Amino acid sequence: GWQRQRVVLARNPFVRLMSYFRFVWLNNPNWGDHKWTGWAGFSDYYQFVLQMRDSKPGLFANGLDWVPESVNKCKQENDGKLEGTALHPWICKTTYYTLSAYDIFHLRPVSDMVSDERFLAGPAAMEDILVLHLETLKEDILQLEEALCSRFGFCEKLPPFPSVLP
């Protein structure tokens, strides 16, 4: 709207990726002996994510329906005597891919999000948006105060940002 400063709160993409790795992969017993379950595998994981992102024309923007989530394969247990009966249950195994649409949705940087065709305002909307970075919040709020003063004549100190982060 008129005389408003649009603001986006964002996280450093590398820190975001590292945090996601820590919560999804690190020491996760569901992944067994996968190389990404320890910090020694982080570099490989990081390179894998970057290579996947670089391999797509729109990077991680736009719909993520190109990313397979999982494959479910079922077979009927069979002892060779009576096929197709309730005595022979179906056994299904779900195989999850190493990087799903869910993962990419949580990893993609703000620049990819605003380039997404579903972002109605388009990338040009970021031109007059001030980005507050989670890692440098105090300094960025000072920049916001300066912007509000120079653009709109609102030269008062902003209220403190709530301290809800660990």
Short mmCIF file of all heavy atoms in Angstrom, two decimals, residues 66-119:
data_model
loop_
_atom_site.label_atom_id
_atom_site.label_comp_id
_atom_site.label_asym_id
_atom_site.label_seq_id
_atom_site.Cartn_x
_atom_site.Cartn_y
_atom_site.Cartn_z
N TRP A 66 7.99 -32.07 -10.18
CA TRP A 66 9.02 -32.83 -10.88
C TRP A 66 9.85 -33.68 -9.92
O TRP A 66 10.60 -34.54 -10.34
CB TRP A 66 9.94 -31.90 -11.68
CG TRP A 66 10.58 -30.83 -10.84
CD1 TRP A 66 10.10 -29.58 -10.62
CD2 TRP A 66 11.81 -30.92 -10.10
NE1 TRP A 66 10.94 -28.87 -9.80
CE2 TRP A 66 12.00 -29.67 -9.46
CE3 TRP A 66 12.75 -31.91 -9.91
CZ2 TRP A 66 13.10 -29.41 -8.65
CZ3 TRP A 66 13.85 -31.64 -9.11
CH2 TRP A 66 14.01 -30.40 -8.49
N VAL A 67 9.72 -33.42 -8.62
CA VAL A 67 10.52 -34.12 -7.63
C VAL A 67 9.75 -35.33 -7.10
O VAL A 67 8.70 -35.16 -6.49
CB VAL A 67 10.87 -33.20 -6.44
CG1 VAL A 67 11.82 -33.90 -5.49
CG2 VAL A 67 11.45 -31.90 -6.91
N PRO A 68 10.22 -36.54 -7.36
CA PRO A 68 9.52 -37.70 -6.81
C PRO A 68 9.69 -37.76 -5.30
O PRO A 68 10.77 -37.51 -4.78
CB PRO A 68 10.21 -38.89 -7.49
CG PRO A 68 11.56 -38.39 -7.85
CD PRO A 68 11.42 -36.90 -8.08
N GLU A 69 8.60 -38.04 -4.61
CA GLU A 69 8.65 -38.15 -3.15
C GLU A 69 9.11 -39.55 -2.72
O GLU A 69 9.99 -39.70 -1.91
CB GLU A 69 7.25 -37.89 -2.55
CG GLU A 69 6.74 -36.50 -2.78
CD GLU A 69 7.28 -35.51 -1.77
OE1 GLU A 69 7.71 -35.93 -0.69
OE2 GLU A 69 7.29 -34.32 -2.09
N SER A 70 8.43 -40.54 -3.28
CA SER A 70 8.73 -41.91 -2.88
C SER A 70 8.15 -42.87 -3.90
O SER A 70 7.35 -42.49 -4.75
CB SER A 70 8.13 -42.20 -1.50
OG SER A 70 6.73 -42.09 -1.55
N VAL A 71 8.57 -44.11 -3.80
CA VAL A 71 8.02 -45.18 -4.64
C VAL A 71 7.52 -46.26 -3.70
O VAL A 71 8.21 -46.66 -2.76
CB VAL A 71 9.10 -45.76 -5.58
CG1 VAL A 71 8.59 -46.99 -6.29
CG2 VAL A 71 9.54 -44.71 -6.59
N ASN A 72 6.32 -46.73 -3.94
CA ASN A 72 5.74 -47.79 -3.12
C ASN A 72 5.62 -49.04 -3.97
O ASN A 72 4.91 -49.05 -4.98
CB ASN A 72 4.37 -47.34 -2.59
CG ASN A 72 3.92 -48.14 -1.41
OD1 ASN A 72 4.72 -48.77 -0.73
ND2 ASN A 72 2.63 -48.12 -1.14
N LYS A 73 6.32 -50.10 -3.60
CA LYS A 73 6.27 -51.36 -4.34
C LYS A 73 5.66 -52.42 -3.43
O LYS A 73 6.08 -52.58 -2.29
CB LYS A 73 7.66 -51.78 -4.80
CG LYS A 73 8.24 -50.87 -5.84
CD LYS A 73 9.57 -51.39 -6.35
CE LYS A 73 10.10 -50.43 -7.41
NZ LYS A 73 11.39 -50.85 -7.93
N CYS A 74 4.69 -53.13 -3.98
CA CYS A 74 4.01 -54.16 -3.21
C CYS A 74 4.12 -55.51 -3.91
O CYS A 74 4.13 -55.58 -5.15
CB CYS A 74 2.53 -53.82 -3.03
SG CYS A 74 2.24 -52.27 -2.14
N LYS A 75 4.20 -56.55 -3.13
CA LYS A 75 4.15 -57.90 -3.68
C LYS A 75 3.38 -58.76 -2.69
O LYS A 75 3.32 -58.48 -1.49
CB LYS A 75 5.55 -58.44 -3.94
CG LYS A 75 6.36 -58.70 -2.70
CD LYS A 75 7.70 -59.31 -3.07
CE LYS A 75 8.44 -59.66 -1.78
NZ LYS A 75 9.67 -60.35 -2.00
N GLN A 76 2.78 -59.79 -3.23
CA GLN A 76 1.99 -60.66 -2.37
C GLN A 76 2.88 -61.81 -1.90
O GLN A 76 3.59 -62.43 -2.67
CB GLN A 76 0.78 -61.21 -3.13
CG GLN A 76 -0.23 -61.83 -2.20
CD GLN A 76 -1.52 -62.15 -2.94
OE1 GLN A 76 -1.51 -62.37 -4.14
NE2 GLN A 76 -2.61 -62.18 -2.21
N GLU A 77 2.83 -62.01 -0.60
CA GLU A 77 3.56 -63.13 -0.02
C GLU A 77 2.97 -64.41 -0.57
O GLU A 77 1.76 -64.56 -0.67
CB GLU A 77 3.41 -63.09 1.51
CG GLU A 77 4.69 -63.26 2.24
CD GLU A 77 4.47 -63.18 3.73
OE1 GLU A 77 3.56 -63.81 4.26
OE2 GLU A 77 5.25 -62.44 4.37
N ASN A 78 3.79 -65.35 -0.94
CA ASN A 78 3.27 -66.57 -1.58
C ASN A 78 4.11 -67.76 -1.16
O ASN A 78 5.32 -67.77 -1.33
CB ASN A 78 3.30 -66.39 -3.09
CG ASN A 78 2.67 -67.56 -3.83
OD1 ASN A 78 2.27 -68.55 -3.22
ND2 ASN A 78 2.59 -67.43 -5.13
N ASP A 79 3.43 -68.77 -0.61
CA ASP A 79 4.16 -69.99 -0.25
C ASP A 79 4.06 -71.04 -1.36
O ASP A 79 4.49 -72.16 -1.21
CB ASP A 79 3.66 -70.56 1.08
CG ASP A 79 2.20 -70.95 1.05
OD1 ASP A 79 1.57 -70.88 -0.03
OD2 ASP A 79 1.66 -71.32 2.11
N GLY A 80 3.43 -70.66 -2.49
CA GLY A 80 3.32 -71.56 -3.63
C GLY A 80 2.12 -72.48 -3.60
O GLY A 80 1.89 -73.23 -4.54
N LYS A 81 1.33 -72.47 -2.54
CA LYS A 81 0.20 -73.40 -2.43
C LYS A 81 -1.10 -72.77 -2.94
O LYS A 81 -1.74 -73.29 -3.83
CB LYS A 81 0.05 -73.87 -0.99
CG LYS A 81 1.24 -74.68 -0.51
CD LYS A 81 1.08 -75.08 0.95
CE LYS A 81 2.35 -75.78 1.43
NZ LYS A 81 2.28 -76.04 2.84
N LEU A 82 -1.51 -71.67 -2.35
CA LEU A 82 -2.78 -71.04 -2.70
C LEU A 82 -2.56 -69.57 -3.03
O LEU A 82 -2.53 -68.73 -2.16
CB LEU A 82 -3.79 -71.16 -1.56
CG LEU A 82 -4.20 -72.58 -1.17
CD1 LEU A 82 -5.00 -72.55 0.12
CD2 LEU A 82 -5.04 -73.19 -2.26
N GLU A 83 -2.39 -69.27 -4.30
CA GLU A 83 -2.15 -67.88 -4.68
C GLU A 83 -3.42 -67.04 -4.58
O GLU A 83 -4.51 -67.53 -4.80
CB GLU A 83 -1.63 -67.83 -6.12
CG GLU A 83 -0.22 -68.35 -6.22
CD GLU A 83 0.38 -68.08 -7.57
OE1 GLU A 83 0.08 -67.02 -8.15
OE2 GLU A 83 1.14 -68.93 -8.04
N GLY A 84 -3.23 -65.76 -4.28
CA GLY A 84 -4.32 -64.79 -4.31
C GLY A 84 -5.32 -64.90 -3.19
O GLY A 84 -6.40 -64.37 -3.29
N THR A 85 -4.99 -65.55 -2.11
CA THR A 85 -5.94 -65.65 -1.01
C THR A 85 -5.56 -64.70 0.10
O THR A 85 -4.47 -64.13 0.12
CB THR A 85 -5.96 -67.09 -0.44
OG1 THR A 85 -4.71 -67.33 0.21
CG2 THR A 85 -6.23 -68.11 -1.51
N ALA A 86 -6.47 -64.54 1.05
CA ALA A 86 -6.20 -63.68 2.20
C ALA A 86 -5.10 -64.26 3.08
O ALA A 86 -4.56 -63.58 3.94
CB ALA A 86 -7.48 -63.50 3.01
N LEU A 87 -4.76 -65.51 2.86
CA LEU A 87 -3.67 -66.13 3.62
C LEU A 87 -2.32 -65.59 3.19
O LEU A 87 -1.32 -65.80 3.85
CB LEU A 87 -3.69 -67.66 3.43
CG LEU A 87 -4.94 -68.38 3.93
CD1 LEU A 87 -4.88 -69.84 3.56
CD2 LEU A 87 -5.09 -68.20 5.43
N HIS A 88 -2.30 -64.94 2.05
CA HIS A 88 -1.06 -64.40 1.52
C HIS A 88 -1.16 -62.88 1.45
O HIS A 88 -1.57 -62.33 0.42
CB HIS A 88 -0.76 -64.99 0.13
CG HIS A 88 -0.68 -66.48 0.15
ND1 HIS A 88 -1.72 -67.28 -0.19
CD2 HIS A 88 0.34 -67.30 0.53
CE1 HIS A 88 -1.37 -68.55 -0.06
NE2 HIS A 88 -0.11 -68.58 0.38
N PRO A 89 -0.81 -62.20 2.53
CA PRO A 89 -0.98 -60.73 2.55
C PRO A 89 -0.01 -60.03 1.62
O PRO A 89 1.02 -60.58 1.23
CB PRO A 89 -0.67 -60.39 4.01
CG PRO A 89 0.23 -61.48 4.47
CD PRO A 89 -0.20 -62.72 3.74
N TRP A 90 -0.40 -58.81 1.27
CA TRP A 90 0.47 -57.97 0.46
C TRP A 90 1.51 -57.33 1.37
O TRP A 90 1.20 -56.82 2.43
CB TRP A 90 -0.34 -56.88 -0.24
CG TRP A 90 -1.12 -57.40 -1.40
CD1 TRP A 90 -2.40 -57.87 -1.38
CD2 TRP A 90 -0.67 -57.53 -2.73
NE1 TRP A 90 -2.77 -58.29 -2.62
CE2 TRP A 90 -1.72 -58.08 -3.49
CE3 TRP A 90 0.52 -57.22 -3.37
CZ2 TRP A 90 -1.62 -58.34 -4.84
CZ3 TRP A 90 0.63 -57.48 -4.73
CH2 TRP A 90 -0.43 -58.03 -5.45
N ILE A 91 2.72 -57.37 0.94
CA ILE A 91 3.82 -56.72 1.66
C ILE A 91 4.27 -55.54 0.81
O ILE A 91 4.62 -55.71 -0.35
CB ILE A 91 5.00 -57.69 1.88
CG1 ILE A 91 4.54 -58.98 2.57
CG2 ILE A 91 6.13 -57.01 2.63
CD1 ILE A 91 4.00 -58.78 3.96
N CYS A 92 4.24 -54.36 1.40
CA CYS A 92 4.61 -53.16 0.65
C CYS A 92 5.86 -52.53 1.28
O CYS A 92 6.01 -52.51 2.50
CB CYS A 92 3.48 -52.13 0.67
SG CYS A 92 2.00 -52.73 -0.17
N LYS A 93 6.71 -52.02 0.41
CA LYS A 93 7.91 -51.32 0.86
C LYS A 93 7.94 -49.95 0.20
O LYS A 93 7.81 -49.84 -1.02
CB LYS A 93 9.16 -52.10 0.50
CG LYS A 93 10.43 -51.43 0.96
CD LYS A 93 11.66 -52.21 0.57
CE LYS A 93 12.89 -51.43 1.04
NZ LYS A 93 14.12 -51.99 0.55
N THR A 94 8.08 -48.92 1.02
CA THR A 94 8.16 -47.56 0.50
C THR A 94 9.62 -47.12 0.49
O THR A 94 10.30 -47.23 1.50
CB THR A 94 7.33 -46.59 1.37
OG1 THR A 94 5.98 -47.05 1.41
CG2 THR A 94 7.38 -45.18 0.82
N THR A 95 10.07 -46.67 -0.65
CA THR A 95 11.43 -46.15 -0.78
C THR A 95 11.33 -44.64 -0.95
O THR A 95 10.67 -44.17 -1.87
CB THR A 95 12.14 -46.76 -2.01
OG1 THR A 95 12.13 -48.18 -1.88
CG2 THR A 95 13.56 -46.25 -2.13
N TYR A 96 11.96 -43.91 -0.05
CA TYR A 96 11.95 -42.45 -0.12
C TYR A 96 13.19 -41.97 -0.85
O TYR A 96 14.28 -42.49 -0.66
CB TYR A 96 11.90 -41.85 1.29
CG TYR A 96 10.59 -42.11 1.98
CD1 TYR A 96 10.45 -43.20 2.83
CD2 TYR A 96 9.50 -41.29 1.77
CE1 TYR A 96 9.24 -43.47 3.45
CE2 TYR A 96 8.29 -41.54 2.38
CZ TYR A 96 8.16 -42.62 3.22
OH TYR A 96 6.98 -42.89 3.83
N TYR A 97 13.02 -40.96 -1.69
CA TYR A 97 14.15 -40.40 -2.39
C TYR A 97 14.94 -39.51 -1.44
O TYR A 97 14.42 -39.01 -0.46
CB TYR A 97 13.68 -39.60 -3.61
CG TYR A 97 13.20 -40.50 -4.71
CD1 TYR A 97 11.87 -40.91 -4.78
CD2 TYR A 97 14.09 -40.99 -5.66
CE1 TYR A 97 11.44 -41.76 -5.78
CE2 TYR A 97 13.67 -41.84 -6.66
CZ TYR A 97 12.35 -42.22 -6.72
OH TYR A 97 11.93 -43.06 -7.70
N THR A 98 16.20 -39.31 -1.76
CA THR A 98 17.07 -38.57 -0.85
C THR A 98 16.72 -37.08 -0.76
O THR A 98 17.05 -36.45 0.23
CB THR A 98 18.54 -38.71 -1.29
OG1 THR A 98 18.64 -38.40 -2.67
CG2 THR A 98 19.05 -40.10 -1.03
N LEU A 99 16.10 -36.53 -1.76
CA LEU A 99 15.70 -35.12 -1.71
C LEU A 99 14.30 -35.01 -2.29
O LEU A 99 14.10 -35.16 -3.49
CB LEU A 99 16.69 -34.26 -2.50
CG LEU A 99 16.77 -32.80 -2.13
CD1 LEU A 99 17.15 -32.63 -0.66
CD2 LEU A 99 17.75 -32.07 -3.00
N SER A 100 13.33 -34.79 -1.43
CA SER A 100 11.94 -34.76 -1.86
C SER A 100 11.48 -33.32 -2.10
O SER A 100 12.19 -32.36 -1.79
CB SER A 100 11.06 -35.39 -0.78
OG SER A 100 11.05 -34.56 0.38
N ALA A 101 10.29 -33.18 -2.63
CA ALA A 101 9.70 -31.85 -2.82
C ALA A 101 9.56 -31.15 -1.47
O ALA A 101 9.74 -29.94 -1.36
CB ALA A 101 8.35 -31.97 -3.52
N TYR A 102 9.24 -31.92 -0.44
CA TYR A 102 9.13 -31.37 0.92
C TYR A 102 10.47 -30.77 1.34
O TYR A 102 10.54 -29.67 1.88
CB TYR A 102 8.70 -32.47 1.88
CG TYR A 102 8.57 -32.04 3.31
CD1 TYR A 102 7.39 -31.44 3.77
CD2 TYR A 102 9.61 -32.22 4.22
CE1 TYR A 102 7.27 -31.03 5.09
CE2 TYR A 102 9.49 -31.82 5.53
CZ TYR A 102 8.33 -31.23 5.96
OH TYR A 102 8.20 -30.82 7.26
N ASP A 103 11.56 -31.51 1.08
CA ASP A 103 12.90 -31.02 1.42
C ASP A 103 13.20 -29.72 0.67
O ASP A 103 13.65 -28.74 1.25
CB ASP A 103 13.97 -32.05 1.07
CG ASP A 103 13.83 -33.34 1.85
OD1 ASP A 103 13.48 -33.28 3.05
OD2 ASP A 103 14.07 -34.41 1.26
N ILE A 104 12.98 -29.75 -0.63
CA ILE A 104 13.30 -28.59 -1.47
C ILE A 104 12.48 -27.38 -1.05
O ILE A 104 12.98 -26.26 -0.98
CB ILE A 104 13.09 -28.92 -2.96
CG1 ILE A 104 14.15 -29.95 -3.39
CG2 ILE A 104 13.18 -27.67 -3.82
CD1 ILE A 104 13.94 -30.52 -4.76
N PHE A 105 11.22 -27.59 -0.73
CA PHE A 105 10.37 -26.50 -0.28
C PHE A 105 10.99 -25.81 0.94
O PHE A 105 10.95 -24.59 1.07
CB PHE A 105 8.97 -27.00 0.04
CG PHE A 105 8.04 -25.93 0.52
CD1 PHE A 105 7.43 -25.08 -0.39
CD2 PHE A 105 7.79 -25.75 1.86
CE1 PHE A 105 6.57 -24.06 0.03
CE2 PHE A 105 6.94 -24.74 2.30
CZ PHE A 105 6.34 -23.90 1.39
N HIS A 106 11.57 -26.60 1.84
CA HIS A 106 12.16 -26.04 3.06
C HIS A 106 13.58 -25.53 2.87
O HIS A 106 14.09 -24.79 3.70
CB HIS A 106 12.10 -27.07 4.18
CG HIS A 106 10.73 -27.24 4.72
ND1 HIS A 106 9.82 -28.11 4.17
CD2 HIS A 106 10.09 -26.61 5.72
CE1 HIS A 106 8.69 -28.02 4.82
NE2 HIS A 106 8.82 -27.12 5.77
N LEU A 107 14.24 -25.92 1.79
CA LEU A 107 15.62 -25.52 1.56
C LEU A 107 15.78 -24.34 0.62
O LEU A 107 16.80 -23.66 0.65
CB LEU A 107 16.42 -26.70 0.96
CG LEU A 107 16.63 -27.90 1.85
CD1 LEU A 107 17.29 -29.02 1.07
CD2 LEU A 107 17.48 -27.52 3.06
N ARG A 108 14.80 -24.11 -0.23
CA ARG A 108 15.03 -23.13 -1.29
C ARG A 108 15.16 -21.72 -0.74
O ARG A 108 14.47 -21.32 0.19
CB ARG A 108 13.95 -23.22 -2.36
CG ARG A 108 12.56 -22.90 -1.93
CD ARG A 108 11.64 -23.17 -3.09
NE ARG A 108 10.28 -22.86 -2.72
CZ ARG A 108 9.30 -22.75 -3.59
NH1 ARG A 108 9.54 -22.93 -4.86
NH2 ARG A 108 8.10 -22.45 -3.19
N PRO A 109 16.08 -20.97 -1.35
CA PRO A 109 16.32 -19.60 -0.89
C PRO A 109 15.19 -18.65 -1.31
O PRO A 109 14.42 -18.95 -2.22
CB PRO A 109 17.64 -19.22 -1.56
CG PRO A 109 17.83 -20.19 -2.67
CD PRO A 109 17.02 -21.40 -2.36
N VAL A 110 15.14 -17.50 -0.65
CA VAL A 110 14.11 -16.50 -0.93
C VAL A 110 14.15 -16.11 -2.41
O VAL A 110 13.11 -15.91 -3.03
CB VAL A 110 14.29 -15.26 -0.02
CG1 VAL A 110 13.38 -14.13 -0.46
CG2 VAL A 110 14.01 -15.61 1.42
N SER A 111 15.34 -16.02 -2.99
CA SER A 111 15.44 -15.61 -4.40
C SER A 111 14.70 -16.59 -5.31
O SER A 111 14.12 -16.18 -6.31
CB SER A 111 16.91 -15.50 -4.82
OG SER A 111 17.57 -16.74 -4.64
N ASP A 112 14.72 -17.88 -4.97
CA ASP A 112 13.96 -18.85 -5.76
C ASP A 112 12.47 -18.73 -5.49
O ASP A 112 11.65 -18.88 -6.39
CB ASP A 112 14.42 -20.28 -5.46
CG ASP A 112 15.80 -20.59 -6.02
OD1 ASP A 112 16.42 -19.70 -6.62
OD2 ASP A 112 16.26 -21.73 -5.84
N MET A 113 12.12 -18.45 -4.25
CA MET A 113 10.70 -18.33 -3.90
C MET A 113 10.04 -17.19 -4.67
O MET A 113 8.95 -17.34 -5.19
CB MET A 113 10.53 -18.11 -2.40
CG MET A 113 10.84 -19.30 -1.57
SD MET A 113 10.57 -18.90 0.17
CE MET A 113 11.54 -20.16 0.93
N VAL A 114 10.72 -16.04 -4.74
CA VAL A 114 10.10 -14.89 -5.41
C VAL A 114 10.16 -15.03 -6.93
O VAL A 114 9.44 -14.33 -7.63
CB VAL A 114 10.70 -13.54 -4.97
CG1 VAL A 114 10.48 -13.32 -3.49
CG2 VAL A 114 12.15 -13.44 -5.33
N SER A 115 11.00 -15.93 -7.43
CA SER A 115 11.03 -16.19 -8.87
C SER A 115 10.00 -17.24 -9.26
O SER A 115 9.81 -17.50 -10.44
CB SER A 115 12.42 -16.68 -9.28
OG SER A 115 13.37 -15.69 -9.04
N ASP A 116 9.36 -17.81 -8.28
CA ASP A 116 8.33 -18.82 -8.51
C ASP A 116 7.15 -18.18 -9.24
O ASP A 116 6.69 -17.11 -8.87
CB ASP A 116 7.89 -19.40 -7.16
CG ASP A 116 7.07 -20.66 -7.28
OD1 ASP A 116 6.16 -20.70 -8.13
OD2 ASP A 116 7.31 -21.60 -6.52
N GLU A 117 6.67 -18.85 -10.27
CA GLU A 117 5.54 -18.30 -11.05
C GLU A 117 4.29 -18.14 -10.19
O GLU A 117 3.39 -17.40 -10.54
CB GLU A 117 5.25 -19.19 -12.25
CG GLU A 117 4.88 -20.61 -11.89
CD GLU A 117 4.95 -21.58 -13.06
OE1 GLU A 117 5.60 -21.28 -14.06
OE2 GLU A 117 4.35 -22.66 -12.93
N ARG A 118 4.23 -18.83 -9.06
CA ARG A 118 3.06 -18.71 -8.18
C ARG A 118 3.18 -17.52 -7.24
O ARG A 118 2.25 -17.18 -6.53
CB ARG A 118 2.89 -19.99 -7.37
CG ARG A 118 2.57 -21.19 -8.28
CD ARG A 118 2.70 -22.49 -7.55
NE ARG A 118 4.10 -22.64 -7.15
CZ ARG A 118 4.55 -23.60 -6.37
NH1 ARG A 118 3.73 -24.49 -5.90
NH2 ARG A 118 5.82 -23.68 -6.05
N PHE A 119 4.34 -16.87 -7.19
CA PHE A 119 4.54 -15.67 -6.38
C PHE A 119 3.94 -14.51 -7.16
O PHE A 119 4.53 -13.98 -8.09
CB PHE A 119 6.04 -15.46 -6.12
CG PHE A 119 6.35 -14.34 -5.17
CD1 PHE A 119 6.12 -14.48 -3.81
CD2 PHE A 119 6.88 -13.15 -5.64
CE1 PHE A 119 6.42 -13.46 -2.93
CE2 PHE A 119 7.18 -12.11 -4.77
CZ PHE A 119 6.96 -12.28 -3.41
#
